Amino acid sequence: MSVLRKDFLWGGAVAANQLEGAWNVDGKGDSVSDHCTTGSASTPKRVTVNIEPGTLYPSHEAIDFYHHYEEDIALFAEMGFKTFRTSINWTRIFPTGMESAPNEKGLEFYDRVFDCCKKHGIEPLVTISHYELPYALVDKYNGWEGRDLIEYFMNYCKAIFERYKDKVKYWLTFNEINSGTMPFGAILSTGTVKGYSGLTSEVPDRPQERFQALHHQFVASAKAVKYAHDHYPQFKMGNMICFVTSYALTCNPDDILENQEHMREMNWYCSDVQVRGEYPAYAQSIWKKHGITVKMEPGDAEILKQGTVDFYTFSYYMSNCISADKNAEDSGGNLIAGKKNPYLPASDWGWQIDPKGLRYSLNEIYDRYRIPLMVVENGLGAYDKKEADGSIQDDYRIDYLRQHIQQMIGAVEDGVDLMGYTPWGCIDLVSASTGEMAKRYGFIYVEKYDDGTGDLSRKRKKSFDWYKKVIATNGDDLS
Ligand code: BGP
């Protein structure tokens, strides 16, 4: 008998910029993601100040969810989804982020998407900002380094809260807000890349800007949460963290301390602010280490206190090891890499697969905060192969998900209050880190390739039926 809640929110997760396409349709402006080219496992993608003619920008067409959403949501419903996590593309609503009135055509698109979800009994879970910062704000303010973005973000929130107040109940403010603690986050998350054209792997690291930008995101998030609580008491407001749990590579106390420091900066810094409503004591040592000063204004501390989230959500793909020994062998990873764990296998992109780390993380997070949790991203990016009969036998993906769900259930048995599970990229889409289509996560295959070809047709993979059964039995049958 399932230990999961009866109303457990099974579903899947995507982000607008990675699947919608229609990047300049119906008045949409360009976001920072629209300025990123295609890369691969071995070649980093580029970000360009200007859209270069003849260069392929994968978000521009993506899998054209903009025109296929009905078919796609019907497939999600067929799997039995209770929830669908997607984001609103900020630039569909405010093309430059700075307009005073929203773009009606953009609002209408999400009306159609959420109505379609409702028709199928699917509850939308909406990320307000998922790597979709208007590029005009990068250009004018160096992204979130500019304090003015707090008010632009609030205009955006007010417009979508009011418009969708009867259609959306669950909201997440910033996707993987802790991206800003890492150099790579400067591109997609904080947008502190004004004037930069070049490889995403070579973006100049300016921690002063990233941490200042993060402060503005914290204030913006807290303001949005408070505003929602004041005006729409039915809303549930969450945060979203890229949780990459790390272990000390050895029991050498130097490794233990190094790992503690790493865990704080990477995994706890942002959620301590968003859940507890104030900066943690150790924030000082992080700022000191980077030689930076975070500027705060009177009233910021109050707003952080007043805008704490109702639930905590996170992505979980992998774990890492941390060592004081700089010569230890490196591993790959999303946003940040660590040291190789000799006990773990890794994906083709070097992400170390660690299902037990999910149980461990859920317990650590719940012990710390004691508010409901949700795993809003998890999954295996893989090169899928089409068999001679056209089918996709993705047993490796089923194995990955099965093991993670088993550990997730273990955590619930340990006492964790878990609301739901939405595996990443429930339909194949563009990779956030590499910009490729070849890194597939979906239960649904999409005929779209890295050279831009493909007829965009959809096809159920083997994992589609497997996940359908998992949902139907509320996680009892994982065979
Ligand atoms: C997270 C992001 C997603 C997503 C996922 C998988 O970091 O929130 O947007 O893409 O990782 O990463 P990737 O697409 O790089 O494989």
Side-chain angles (χ1 to χ4, degrees):
M1 202 33 204
S2 181
V3 295
L4 301 176
R5 295 172 174 202
K6 278 205 170 45
D7 59 351
F8 191 77
L9 291 168
W10 292 101
V14 300
N17 76 84
Q18 290 170 257
L19 92 166
E20 283 178 3
W23 75 293
N24 58 2
V25 170
D26 290 337
K28 182 179 170 298
D30 46 328
S31 75
V32 67
S33 289
D34 294 324
H35 285 247
C36 291
T37 69
T38 305
S40 72
S42 51
T43 319
K45 60 183 192 179
R46 286 185 303 126
V47 57
T48 65
V49 171
N50 299 307
I51 303 293
E52 300 168 353
T55 295
L56 201 66
Y57 293 87
S59 69
H60 292 194
E61 188 186 45
I63 61 158
D64 197 25
F65 178 79
Y66 196 75
H67 297 106
H68 289 73
Y69 70 91
E70 284 181 285
E71 176 189 352
D72 295 342
I73 293 170
L75 285 166
F76 301 152
E78 193 182 320
M79 276 187 278
F81 278 24
K82 315 283 180 226
T83 190
F84 171 49
R85 174 180 174 231
T86 189
S87 61
I88 293 179
N89 228 325
W90 187 343
T91 57
R92 275 199 204 290
I93 314 299
F94 291 97
T96 68
M98 293 174 273
E99 294 78 1
S100 47
N103 171 30
E104 179 57 26
K105 285 250 180 273
L107 289 169
E108 284 168 9
F109 171 64
Y110 296 102
D111 274 329
R112 295 197 292 276
V113 169
F114 300 145
D115 288 345
C116 186
C117 286
K118 279 273 133 79
K119 188 179 91 186
H120 289 288
I122 296 174
E123 183 77 46
L125 164 62
V126 173
T127 318
I128 299 171
S129 180
H130 191 139
Y131 301 160
E132 286 133 3
L133 182 66
Y135 195 79
L137 296 176
V138 174
D139 232 12
K140 179 150 185 214
Y141 293 98
N142 194 27
W144 277 97
E145 194 192 5
R147 194 172 167 102
D148 289 3
L149 266 73
I150 298 172
E151 280 322 303
Y152 292 133
F153 181 77
M154 281 309 293
N155 286 347
Y156 165 48
C157 286
K158 286 176 186 169
I160 58 177
F161 288 170
E162 184 55 24
R163 179 73 168 220
Y164 307 123
K165 60 176 188 276
D166 300 321
K167 301 181 186 195
V168 178
K169 176 172 153 198
Y170 296 105
W171 301 87
L172 308 178
T173 52
F174 289 92
N175 180 65
E176 296 188 334
I177 190 168
N178 57 326
S179 306
T181 66
M182 294 159 274
F184 184 72
I187 303 161
L188 293 178
S189 190
T190 57
T192 43
V193 283
K194 181 179 162 79
Y196 178 72
S197 280
L199 293 176
T200 50
S201 56
E202 289 175 358
V203 63
D205 185 23
R206 296 189 283 258
Q208 174 63 51
E209 294 176 11
R210 284 191 284 114
F211 280 88
Q212 187 62 52
L214 261 178
H215 177 69
H216 295 151
Q217 291 186 331
F218 293 153
V219 173
S221 173
K223 276 192 144 184
V225 169
K226 182 176 167 12
Y227 184 86
H229 285 160
D230 289 348
H231 295 82
Y232 309 99
Q234 74 276 24
F235 284 5
K236 295 279 176 226
M237 306 299 294
N239 68 335
M240 199 306 201
I241 299 288
C242 173
F243 203 90
V244 183
T245 207
S246 62
Y247 311 117
L249 185 63
T250 73
C251 51
N252 181 336
D254 287 340
D255 283 1
I256 306 290
L257 275 179
E258 185 92 12
N259 185 48
Q260 182 182 53
E261 197 180 301
H262 175 83
M263 277 295 288
R264 285 173 164 177
E265 181 165 343
M266 162 87 199
N267 292 310
W268 299 126
Y269 177 82
C270 297
S271 52
D272 279 356
V273 177
Q274 292 186 297
V275 181
R276 293 172 163 167
E278 60 187 13
Y279 277 96
Y282 60 79
Q284 301 290 341
S285 64
I286 293 177
W287 300 333
K288 194 165 157 209
K289 180 181 99 187
H290 291 295
I292 60 175
T293 314
V294 177
K295 229 185 332 140
M296 302 186 196
E297 297 216 339
D300 285 0
E302 285 70 33
I303 185 70
L304 293 181
K305 254 284 163 291
Q306 291 164 352
T308 56
V309 293
D310 304 315
F311 63 110
Y312 172 110
T313 80
F314 66 111
S315 62
Y316 180 87
Y317 293 92
M318 53 177 290
S319 69
N320 259 323
C321 287
I322 297 295
S323 173
D325 174 7
K326 301 297 165 230
N327 296 321
E329 198 186 340
D330 289 338
S331 67
N334 50 341
L335 308 172
I336 194 161
K339 300 296 175 191
K340 209 172 179 143
N341 186 328
Y343 300 100
L344 298 178
S347 78
D348 288 334
W349 281 260
W351 297 18
Q352 301 184 122
I353 301 171
D354 181 13
K356 288 183 182 146
L358 175 58
R359 181 173 184 164
Y360 174 75
S361 304
L362 280 161
N363 273 285
E364 288 291 297
I365 299 164
Y366 191 62
D367 276 354
R368 195 174 183 108
Y369 300 131
R370 298 299 293 261
I371 58 174
L373 309 186
M374 186 160 171
V375 180
V376 294
E377 287 186 29
N378 173 236
L380 181 69
Y383 296 108
D384 287 338
K385 192 171 106 263
K386 275 208 289 181
E387 304 297 326
D389 64 358
S391 67
I392 295 108
Q393 304 293 321
D394 55 343
D395 294 281
Y396 38 89
R397 180 167 294 109
I398 294 174
D399 280 349
Y400 178 102
L401 294 170
R402 179 191 293 122
Q403 291 177 42
H404 283 80
I405 294 172
Q406 276 164 348
Q407 295 302 324
M408 192 174 80
I409 291 172
V412 173
E413 285 166 350
D414 296 336
V416 169
D417 182 4
L418 188 66
M419 296 164 62
Y421 177 67
T422 54
W424 175 253
C426 45
I427 182 165
D428 290 347
L429 38 59
V430 175
S431 157
S433 57
T434 65
E436 60 194 322
M437 274 304 300
K439 190 180 189 188
R440 295 175 183 269
Y441 285 87
F443 302 110
I444 300 161
Y445 189 87
V446 181
E447 294 281 350
K448 178 74 195 279
Y449 303 99
D450 286 330
D451 59 2
T453 61
D455 64 9
L456 297 171
S457 60
R458 275 69 168 152
K459 188 177 200 51
R460 297 166 187 78
K461 301 182 193 175
K462 185 175 180 184
S463 55
F464 184 101
D465 290 322
W466 175 81
Y467 192 45
K468 181 175 175 178
K469 183 179 62 186
V470 171
I471 297 179
T473 61
N474 203 20
D476 274 343
D477 188 353
L478 300 174
S479 62

